Amino acid sequence: MKKRPFHAPFEQLAARQRQARAALRPTPKPAAPAPAPAPPPPPEPTEEELWARATAGASPVQAGPDRVAPPAPRGAPHRARYTELDEVDARQALQVGAPRFEVAPGEALLEGAIDGLDREVLRRLRRGDYAVEGLLDLHGLARQEARGAVERYLRESRLGGKRCVLLVHGRGRHSPDQLPVLKEALLGWLAGGRFGRLVLAFCSARPADGGAGALYVLLRRAGR
C-alpha cells in the first residue's frame, strides 16, 4: 500500500473544481403555470340601457311660457267641411229623376256640372280650392276595366265621406293611336245616369295635379 505524503495541497483540487463548475451552472427555472382562461366578454347593453346611460342625471323639460308643448297625437284625418256643398246636396235631394249635366268639352280641358250648380262652386273646383282626399290612377287599364274601377272608387269614396277626389287618366300618349281614350270615356261616364248620381261636378286638374291628364271630381254627400 502506497503511503500518502504528509503534505498534499492539490489532492482535493479536482473535486473542488467540479464543485465550482457545478455552482456556476444556471439553476433550471420551474415551468410557468398555464394561464387562466379569459373571462367571457360582458353582454352588449340594450337600447334601453344605452338610453338610460345617456340621459343619466337629466331632468325632463317642463312646458312653460317660453316652451312649445309637443303636438297632440294625430287622430282621424280631418275632413274639410264645405257648407256650400251641403246646400247643393239639399237642393239636389228635392229633384226627382236622373240628374242632368251641363258639359263643356274642349280639346285639352274638360268640365261638367249638374244642371243649376252654383258657378262659384265650379270656379273653386277649377282653382283647386277643394282639398283632394283621394286619387285613382287609371294608367294601363283597358276601357271596361277603367269603367268598373272608377265606379267602385267613386262609390267607396262617397260612402267614406270624401268630397273631392282626383282621377288620373293620362293624355293617351301610350295608346295605339295616341288618343286620350279614357279621357273621352270619362266625360260620358261622369255625366251619365249611374255615375251622375254620385257626382256634383268635374273639371280638368291644375298643372300641379296632372293638368289635362287628370280630373277633379266633386262628389255628392252620401245619402243624397
PDB file of all heavy atoms in Angstrom, residues 97-110:
ATOM      1  N   GLY A  97    -135.736  62.096 -60.417  1.00  0.00           N
ATOM      2  CA  GLY A  97    -135.225  61.611 -61.684  1.00  0.00           C
ATOM      3  C   GLY A  97    -133.709  61.732 -61.763  1.00  0.00           C
ATOM      4  O   GLY A  97    -133.042  62.229 -60.853  1.00  0.00           O
ATOM      5  N   ALA A  98    -133.176  61.281 -62.892  1.00  0.00           N
ATOM      6  CA  ALA A  98    -131.738  61.298 -63.099  1.00  0.00           C
ATOM      7  C   ALA A  98    -131.242  62.735 -63.226  1.00  0.00           C
ATOM      8  O   ALA A  98    -131.914  63.576 -63.843  1.00  0.00           O
ATOM      9  CB  ALA A  98    -131.382  60.509 -64.358  1.00  0.00           C
ATOM     10  N   PRO A  99    -130.096  63.044 -62.663  1.00  0.00           N
ATOM     11  CA  PRO A  99    -129.581  64.414 -62.761  1.00  0.00           C
ATOM     12  C   PRO A  99    -129.145  64.741 -64.173  1.00  0.00           C
ATOM     13  O   PRO A  99    -128.715  63.865 -64.933  1.00  0.00           O
ATOM     14  CB  PRO A  99    -128.383  64.400 -61.796  1.00  0.00           C
ATOM     15  CG  PRO A  99    -127.949  62.981 -61.758  1.00  0.00           C
ATOM     16  CD  PRO A  99    -129.188  62.165 -61.900  1.00  0.00           C
ATOM     17  N   ARG A 100    -129.290  66.004 -64.552  1.00  0.00           N
ATOM     18  CA  ARG A 100    -128.831  66.469 -65.858  1.00  0.00           C
ATOM     19  C   ARG A 100    -127.533  67.245 -65.688  1.00  0.00           C
ATOM     20  O   ARG A 100    -127.374  67.993 -64.720  1.00  0.00           O
ATOM     21  CB  ARG A 100    -129.886  67.347 -66.520  1.00  0.00           C
ATOM     22  CG  ARG A 100    -131.150  66.589 -66.912  1.00  0.00           C
ATOM     23  CD  ARG A 100    -132.150  67.527 -67.550  1.00  0.00           C
ATOM     24  NE  ARG A 100    -132.542  68.592 -66.609  1.00  0.00           N
ATOM     25  CZ  ARG A 100    -133.290  69.630 -66.967  1.00  0.00           C
ATOM     26  NH1 ARG A 100    -133.716  69.759 -68.227  1.00  0.00           N
ATOM     27  NH2 ARG A 100    -133.619  70.546 -66.075  1.00  0.00           N
ATOM     28  N   PHE A 101    -126.607  67.047 -66.623  1.00  0.00           N
ATOM     29  CA  PHE A 101    -125.298  67.683 -66.552  1.00  0.00           C
ATOM     30  C   PHE A 101    -125.115  68.676 -67.690  1.00  0.00           C
ATOM     31  O   PHE A 101    -125.557  68.435 -68.820  1.00  0.00           O
ATOM     32  CB  PHE A 101    -124.177  66.629 -66.633  1.00  0.00           C
ATOM     33  CG  PHE A 101    -123.789  66.068 -65.304  1.00  0.00           C
ATOM     34  CD1 PHE A 101    -124.607  65.164 -64.659  1.00  0.00           C
ATOM     35  CD2 PHE A 101    -122.598  66.454 -64.685  1.00  0.00           C
ATOM     36  CE1 PHE A 101    -124.250  64.645 -63.432  1.00  0.00           C
ATOM     37  CE2 PHE A 101    -122.245  65.943 -63.462  1.00  0.00           C
ATOM     38  CZ  PHE A 101    -123.058  65.042 -62.829  1.00  0.00           C
ATOM     39  N   GLU A 102    -124.500  69.778 -67.342  1.00  0.00           N
ATOM     40  CA  GLU A 102    -124.024  70.724 -68.345  1.00  0.00           C
ATOM     41  C   GLU A 102    -122.547  70.422 -68.579  1.00  0.00           C
ATOM     42  O   GLU A 102    -121.739  70.516 -67.671  1.00  0.00           O
ATOM     43  CB  GLU A 102    -124.203  72.160 -67.854  1.00  0.00           C
ATOM     44  CG  GLU A 102    -125.648  72.554 -67.577  1.00  0.00           C
ATOM     45  CD  GLU A 102    -125.751  73.959 -67.015  1.00  0.00           C
ATOM     46  OE1 GLU A 102    -124.704  74.635 -66.895  1.00  0.00           O
ATOM     47  OE2 GLU A 102    -126.868  74.379 -66.691  1.00  0.00           O
ATOM     48  N   VAL A 103    -122.216  70.037 -69.807  1.00  0.00           N
ATOM     49  CA  VAL A 103    -120.848  69.608 -70.122  1.00  0.00           C
ATOM     50  C   VAL A 103    -120.236  70.600 -71.095  1.00  0.00           C
ATOM     51  O   VAL A 103    -120.878  71.020 -72.057  1.00  0.00           O
ATOM     52  CB  VAL A 103    -120.848  68.183 -70.721  1.00  0.00           C
ATOM     53  CG1 VAL A 103    -119.436  67.759 -71.091  1.00  0.00           C
ATOM     54  CG2 VAL A 103    -121.452  67.201 -69.725  1.00  0.00           C
ATOM     55  N   ALA A 104    -119.002  70.966 -70.826  1.00  0.00           N
ATOM     56  CA  ALA A 104    -118.282  71.885 -71.722  1.00  0.00           C
ATOM     57  C   ALA A 104    -116.982  71.198 -72.153  1.00  0.00           C
ATOM     58  O   ALA A 104    -115.918  71.455 -71.584  1.00  0.00           O
ATOM     59  CB  ALA A 104    -117.978  73.201 -71.001  1.00  0.00           C
ATOM     60  N   PRO A 105    -117.062  70.305 -73.153  1.00  0.00           N
ATOM     61  CA  PRO A 105    -115.845  69.615 -73.599  1.00  0.00           C
ATOM     62  C   PRO A 105    -114.938  70.566 -74.366  1.00  0.00           C
ATOM     63  O   PRO A 105    -115.382  71.502 -75.017  1.00  0.00           O
ATOM     64  CB  PRO A 105    -116.377  68.502 -74.492  1.00  0.00           C
ATOM     65  CG  PRO A 105    -117.663  69.045 -75.030  1.00  0.00           C
ATOM     66  CD  PRO A 105    -118.237  69.898 -73.938  1.00  0.00           C
ATOM     67  N   GLY A 106    -113.669  70.299 -74.265  1.00  0.00           N
ATOM     68  CA  GLY A 106    -112.679  71.072 -75.009  1.00  0.00           C
ATOM     69  C   GLY A 106    -111.607  70.153 -75.544  1.00  0.00           C
ATOM     70  O   GLY A 106    -111.562  68.966 -75.211  1.00  0.00           O
ATOM     71  N   GLU A 107    -110.724  70.680 -76.359  1.00  0.00           N
ATOM     72  CA  GLU A 107    -109.664  69.843 -76.921  1.00  0.00           C
ATOM     73  C   GLU A 107    -108.698  69.370 -75.844  1.00  0.00           C
ATOM     74  O   GLU A 107    -108.175  68.265 -75.912  1.00  0.00           O
ATOM     75  CB  GLU A 107    -108.899  70.630 -78.001  1.00  0.00           C
ATOM     76  CG  GLU A 107    -109.738  70.953 -79.225  1.00  0.00           C
ATOM     77  CD  GLU A 107    -108.926  71.653 -80.286  1.00  0.00           C
ATOM     78  OE1 GLU A 107    -107.716  71.857 -80.054  1.00  0.00           O
ATOM     79  OE2 GLU A 107    -109.493  71.976 -81.341  1.00  0.00           O
ATOM     80  N   ALA A 108    -108.440  70.217 -74.854  1.00  0.00           N
ATOM     81  CA  ALA A 108    -107.486  69.849 -73.810  1.00  0.00           C
ATOM     82  C   ALA A 108    -108.157  69.697 -72.464  1.00  0.00           C
ATOM     83  O   ALA A 108    -107.878  68.760 -71.721  1.00  0.00           O
ATOM     84  CB  ALA A 108    -106.362  70.894 -73.722  1.00  0.00           C
ATOM     85  N   LEU A 109    -109.066  70.605 -72.115  1.00  0.00           N
ATOM     86  CA  LEU A 109    -109.662  70.622 -70.786  1.00  0.00           C
ATOM     87  C   LEU A 109    -111.115  70.184 -70.844  1.00  0.00           C
ATOM     88  O   LEU A 109    -111.820  70.473 -71.810  1.00  0.00           O
ATOM     89  CB  LEU A 109    -109.562  72.027 -70.184  1.00  0.00           C
ATOM     90  CG  LEU A 109    -108.154  72.617 -70.089  1.00  0.00           C
ATOM     91  CD1 LEU A 109    -108.206  74.015 -69.491  1.00  0.00           C
ATOM     92  CD2 LEU A 109    -107.242  71.718 -69.265  1.00  0.00           C
ATOM     93  N   LEU A 110    -111.553  69.470 -69.803  1.00  0.00           N
ATOM     94  CA  LEU A 110    -112.935  69.008 -69.691  1.00  0.00           C
ATOM     95  C   LEU A 110    -113.585  69.667 -68.483  1.00  0.00           C
ATOM     96  O   LEU A 110    -112.912  70.015 -67.512  1.00  0.00           O
ATOM     97  CB  LEU A 110    -112.993  67.485 -69.535  1.00  0.00           C
ATOM     98  CG  LEU A 110    -112.420  66.636 -70.667  1.00  0.00           C
ATOM     99  CD1 LEU A 110    -112.596  65.164 -70.341  1.00  0.00           C
ATOM    100  CD2 LEU A 110    -113.085  66.970 -71.991  1.00  0.00           C
TER     101      LEU A 110
END
